[in-house]
Amino acid sequence: MPLWLQWTLIVAGLTIIALLLVFIFRQSKALSEGKKRQAKADEFIRQRRKDMAESVRVIALAIEADQVEYSEACLRLKGLLDHLAPELLEQSPYQVFLEVHDRLQHMPTHQARQATETRFLEKLDKERFEIEKQYADEIRRAATAIRLHSFDD
């Protein structure tokens, strides 16, 4: 084999090795950045769950201290539990949050409530207060239970 061919093959081999090293380095860097992004996303989700669990506990405390209307609390708790632990809404005593939500979901809230006629709102409020009264004991028991529930996975 001629000497020039040997040197050409050696240079070609070294070039391929250098290119492969660059490729490996870039892939390694991309994997590292992907792991960092995933860790950041996991931390965000963990913190979000922690914040939702804290919100559930605050609402439960407000129920126990009679600082919030039961209907409002049930609507909020049902929404939080949908994301935090939806299976709880099918279990006793927590299912009361779903039951009250289902009985109240047809009622207007926020801007829709402001745009609704006063007489109709009075009728809806009367219905809402009756539902709150009907479920009051169950709501209080469920609030205590949900406040003490551990949401750690």
Side-chain angles (χ1 to χ4, degrees), residues 49-108:
R49 283 186 56 81
K50 183 179 173 186
D51 291 345
M52 284 191 286
E54 183 61 25
S55 293
V56 165
R57 287 184 188 91
V58 167
I59 294 169
L61 282 170
I63 291 172
E64 292 174 329
D66 284 327
Q67 295 176 340
V68 64
E69 291 182 352
Y70 292 166
S71 56
E72 175 74 16
C74 287
L75 294 174
R76 290 179 183 272
L77 286 170
K78 194 266 185 194
L80 287 166
L81 290 174
D82 276 343
H83 298 287
L84 193 58
E87 68 280 357
L88 288 181
L89 291 170
E90 301 296 326
Q91 299 173 10
S92 181
Y94 314 113
Q95 64 193 16
V96 70
F97 302 135
L98 179 62
E99 290 173 18
V100 172
H101 172 272
D102 290 347
R103 299 225 12 221
L104 298 176
Q105 71 181 359
H106 69 282
M107 296 183 182

Side-chain angles (χ1 to χ4, degrees), residues 131-145:
I131 292 169
E132 286 181 5
K133 185 177 177 183
Q134 178 184 353
Y135 288 97
D137 291 336
E138 287 180 65
I139 293 170
R140 281 193 296 274
R141 278 194 298 277
T144 300

